[in-house]
Amino acid sequence: MKDLQTLRFYWLKYEVSAIEELIDSSDGIDNFVFSYYYPATDHAGKPLQLVAYAHMVNAAHPDGIYSTYYDTLSDYEHKTQEICGPVILSNNVLSLTQMLELIDNPEKPDYLVLIPNVNSDRHVYYSVEAHYNDASAIGTAQKSALSGPPPKDTNPSPPAT
């Protein structure tokens, strides 16, 4: 059997405090844009990460611009996902509304975990789950996902879903 080329992707952690800071400092933010990031490393098999930018539409920029600042998402517990090709790597997007649904609720999470997946069109996207540092805050196991609506998925851009 022929070996298929594979890529490794980190499960990623995005602190809610960093999300809120990006929202507060980005006038007219309408979307979070996640781009692939491969840091300088001497570790040849290091998995891919993501950076998060704000996309903004406001009076000064009615056609929209991207923030010059970005957050580099850290790996979550060194978990990785190996994905066989062919795959399409493109920016992933969450709208501000979707992000606020994840982080702005009575039982505010501490961070989000983004888990890589592949859809039927072979686009890499991320499932997004809200997590807590302190299990006693919601009375379940530490780092448990929000109960209620299912986790959101990022949308590969150009829109794949």
Side-chain angles (χ1 to χ4, degrees):
M1 180 174 180
K2 186 165 105 175
D3 286 337
L4 295 177
Q5 185 175 6
T6 60
L7 290 173
R8 287 186 17 206
F9 299 82
Y10 274 123
W11 287 34
L12 298 162
K13 182 178 180 178
Y14 197 8
E15 297 286 344
V16 169
S17 59
I19 295 167
E20 291 171 333
E21 188 174 318
L22 190 58
I23 292 170
D24 291 344
S25 64
S26 302
D27 181 36
I29 183 173
D30 62 348
N31 288 297
F32 282 79
V33 179
F34 299 94
S35 296
Y36 288 96
Y37 177 69
Y38 190 74
T41 180
D42 58 3
H43 176 49
K46 187 169 177 86
L48 294 174
Q49 292 175 251
L50 293 174
V51 293
Y53 292 88
H55 180 266
M56 302 167 289
V57 175
N58 54 41
H61 304 284
D63 293 330
I65 61 166
Y66 294 95
S67 59
T68 56
Y69 173 80
Y70 58 87
D71 292 316
T72 303
L73 281 60
S74 59
D75 75 272
Y76 175 70
E77 297 182 348
H78 305 295
K79 290 184 179 183
T80 62
Q81 181 74 28
E82 195 169 273
I83 298 176
C84 294
V87 295
I88 299 169
L89 302 177
S90 56
N91 288 340
N92 277 262
V93 178
L94 271 179
S95 71
L96 176 61
T97 302
Q98 290 173 309
M99 186 64 81
L100 291 174
E101 287 175 9
L102 286 162
I103 68 169
D104 194 20
N105 59 66
E107 295 174 340
K108 185 180 209 111
D110 296 298
Y111 57 94
L112 302 179
V113 174
L114 286 81
I115 304 165
N117 281 297
V118 177
N119 68 14
S120 60
D121 294 327
R122 303 303 297 167
H123 288 268
V124 176
Y125 73 96
Y126 288 80
S127 296
V128 184
E129 299 177 350
H131 286 246
Y132 299 86
N133 288 328
D134 181 10
S136 65
I138 58 171
T140 59
Q142 188 173 14
K143 299 178 183 167
S144 66
L146 270 175
S147 59
K152 300 287 183 195
D153 293 330
T154 61
N155 189 20
S157 179
T161 58

